[in-house]
Amino acid sequence: MLKAVKVRLYPTTEQQESLAKSFGCARWYWNYALNACIQHYEETGKSLNLSVYKAYLPQLKVEHSWLKEDCYSAVLQCVAINLNKAYTNFFEGRAKFPRFKSKHHKQSIQYPQNVKVVGDCLDVPKIGVVKAVFHRPIEGKIKTVTISKTPTDKYFASVLCEVEDSTNQPSGDKILGIDLGLKDFAIVHDGKEVTKYSNPKHLKRHERNLTRKQKKLARKVKGSKSRNKYRKVVAKEHEKVSNSRQDFLHKLSRKLVDDSQVIVVENLNVKGMIRNRKLSKSISDVGWGMFVNFLDYKLKRKDGQLVEIGRFFPSSKMCSCCGHVIDELQLDVREWSCPSCNAFHDRDGNASLNIRNEGIRILSNGGGNPVIAEPRRSKTNKPKGRKASVNDAGSLHCTVRSV
């Protein structure tokens, strides 16, 4: 099993200069190889193979001696591999087209070998022994180490290790149905009772201070040292929002995973939902996709399952008592009565129970034969989508994630 540990680095001034040179070499080669791929496609209509732009490196090191002097050779090899992965993800519809990299944003380089843990430090080729803060021990065999620099000038290292599967984690036996929302972030139903977790609204808490600092940044002269200096002030405020969001999502996902063995959620179309200009900021801030990813990998570590039911499943409009589905339910209606059995429902609690019941039904049918909706064709060369269809489990686009 692969496990990554992210640690904070505190390089010296000389080591920061060496890292800056390595970031620059990796960025320059990425842009060079990407430009070569684009030009080759415009001339021939075919993609450039990985082996071709990998073979450019020896000649480039002769023409530009700083590529050989300032950067570890394996780092540039990883740049070519990562560019190939970016193209693969683009053609398979998982990501957008690769973009050129800039020196004004986050910087990162990857070391596939020869990085060692020496006490409380990391021994990095051509950089030296860098002081690090380990919040947990590094176990297993180190596969890769990715060193990154944030816009706020903080350095981190993500150490990917190969470790043995551990089954010592606390394991609950509940099956939870989760309805994600905006007023309440998560409404969790375990079959007996409903638990609601309120939405912290991270961006709204920092919005006033962030707006004030962004106005000051806008008044600075473009290209001036004062503007570049104040850009970090704004970046620090954005970093606070991001850190508070991740802290909340990690803690909540850990709590739910420790109490359960199976978690059922909806497969939400977040990209489509943020087109609503009145709710787009709130939907982008809440972090539903990140939360589901956290649930997924934490459940996999304890041999649990994450079940995603179809986005067209009428969880809110279906009566959890008799199964009657009403024709229409406005967003502002938070409570309703079933016209068939007269049962009174809280909208969110009823939806979370329906999600849980649908997940149990899918699992009882063996997970069915899930049909995954591919993205629609655009002007790029993405795969052509298919029409939605109901699988054997009876749920549109249901997905069962497990180890």
Side-chain angles (χ1 to χ4, degrees):
M1 180 178 70
L2 296 177
K3 183 178 180 180
V5 178
K6 190 174 183 179
V7 299
R8 178 79 181 271
L9 298 180
Y10 292 92
T12 62
T13 305
E14 293 78 9
Q15 290 172 342
Q16 289 181 17
E17 293 177 358
S18 299
L19 285 171
K21 291 178 181 179
S22 296
F23 290 143
C25 293
R27 184 176 63 247
W28 183 89
Y29 177 56
W30 170 282
N31 292 340
Y32 181 89
L34 179 57
N35 183 60
C37 292
I38 294 174
Q39 288 184 351
H40 184 268
Y41 181 79
E42 291 176 349
E43 294 172 359
T44 64
K46 297 180 181 180
S47 300
L48 198 61
N49 293 330
L50 169 64
S51 58
V52 176
Y53 51 86
K54 238 185 178 183
Y56 292 161
L57 274 173
Q59 183 61 30
L60 289 174
K61 289 181 180 179
V62 173
E63 297 175 0
H64 308 282
S65 59
W66 42 268
L67 280 176
K68 185 176 182 180
E69 297 171 357
D70 300 339
C71 188
Y72 185 53
S73 59
V75 169
L76 299 179
Q77 297 286 340
C78 283
V79 171
I81 295 173
N82 291 336
L83 179 59
N84 184 62
K85 287 181 181 178
Y87 263 105
T88 302
N89 291 336
F90 165 69
F91 286 120
E92 294 182 0
R94 292 192 296 266
K96 295 181 180 180
F97 188 80
R99 296 185 299 177
F100 292 99
K101 294 190 176 182
S102 170
K103 65 178 180 180
H104 298 296
H105 303 290
K106 180 181 177 180
Q107 309 294 318
S108 65
I109 51 177
Q110 189 175 29
Y111 290 83
Q113 57 190 8
N114 295 336
V115 178
K116 301 175 183 179
V117 178
V118 182
D120 292 335
C121 302
L122 275 181
D123 188 3
V124 185
K126 288 203 172 183
I127 304 298
V129 180
V130 184
K131 183 182 177 182
V133 176
F134 297 95
H135 61 283
R136 63 183 63 184
I138 304 297
E139 301 174 348
K141 180 182 178 181
I142 297 179
K143 303 292 287 185
T144 62
V145 176
T146 303
I147 298 179
S148 59
K149 177 187 175 184
T150 66
T152 57
D153 291 344
K154 294 179 181 178
Y155 293 86
F156 294 92
S158 180
V159 184
L160 182 66
C161 302
E162 187 175 9
V163 298
E164 297 180 357
D165 293 341
S166 59
T167 58
N168 297 327
Q169 299 186 18
S171 179
D173 56 354
K174 295 181 181 179
I175 301 178
L176 302 181
I178 302 179
D179 180 43
L180 300 174
L182 293 178
K183 180 182 178 182
D184 294 307
F185 173 76
I187 300 90
V188 183
H189 207 300
D190 62 358
K192 296 180 181 180
E193 60 180 359
V194 183
T195 306
K196 295 185 178 182
Y197 298 91
S198 60
N199 183 6
K201 297 181 180 179
H202 311 280
L203 184 61
K204 189 174 182 179
R205 288 191 289 114
H206 296 82
E207 194 168 21
R208 184 176 180 181
N209 191 26
L210 185 60
T211 302
R212 178 175 58 85
K213 292 180 178 179
Q214 285 177 328
K215 284 182 178 179
K216 287 186 178 180
L217 175 64
R219 297 189 187 105
K220 305 294 182 182
V221 179
K222 290 185 178 181
S224 64
K225 291 184 179 180
S226 177
R227 183 180 178 88
N228 291 332
K229 182 178 179 180
Y230 210 81
R231 185 186 290 125
K232 295 179 183 179
V233 176
V234 177
K236 285 183 180 179
E237 198 64 29
H238 281 289
E239 190 176 65
K240 290 180 183 178
V241 178
S242 176
N243 290 341
S244 62
R245 181 186 298 113
Q246 288 196 42
D247 180 70
F248 168 75
L249 297 179
H250 271 299
K251 289 179 178 177
L252 179 57
S253 60
R254 172 51 59 195
K255 181 180 184 301
L256 296 177
V257 168
D258 288 347
D259 294 340
S260 64
Q261 186 64 24
V262 177
I263 295 180
V264 190
V265 296
E266 282 185 299
N267 182 13
L268 297 174
N269 181 19
V270 179
K271 287 186 178 180
M273 295 172 71
I274 60 176
R275 294 174 184 171
N276 185 337
R277 59 187 181 89
K278 294 183 179 180
L279 299 176
S280 58
K281 183 186 291 187
S282 299
I283 294 173
S284 300
D285 177 46
V286 74
W288 290 330
M290 186 183 297
F291 178 66
V292 173
N293 288 336
F294 289 170
L295 290 175
D296 184 26
Y297 86 82
K298 288 174 183 176
L299 282 168
K300 285 180 178 179
R301 288 184 179 178
K302 57 174 284 184
D303 294 334
Q305 281 186 318
L306 177 69
V307 182
E308 291 183 277
I309 68 172
R311 62 186 61 170
F312 301 110
F313 178 72
S315 58
S316 299
K317 298 189 293 184
M318 177 186 291
C319 175
S320 57
C321 298
C322 65
H324 177 76
V325 180
I326 60 177
D327 296 332
E328 188 177 359
L329 187 65
Q330 298 294 333
L331 189 61
D332 58 346
V333 178
R334 311 313 301 175
E335 296 176 344
W336 60 281
S337 298
C338 175
S340 178
C341 65
N342 296 323
F344 183 76
H345 297 296
D346 172 74
R347 179 192 182 111
D348 297 329
N350 176 68
S352 60
L353 180 56
N354 284 329
I355 291 172
R356 180 181 183 272
N357 293 337
E358 178 67 8
I360 294 174
R361 191 182 66 81
I362 293 173
L363 291 174
S364 64
N365 291 342
N369 183 20
V371 178
I372 308 300
E374 297 177 355
R376 297 180 181 177
R377 177 179 291 275
S378 63
K379 294 182 180 180
T380 59
N381 294 327
K382 291 184 179 180
K384 188 175 182 180
R386 294 177 294 183
K387 292 183 178 180
S389 58
V390 181
N391 57 26
D392 296 338
S395 180
L396 283 167
H397 313 312
C398 74
T399 309
V400 181
R401 298 185 183 182
S402 61
V403 289

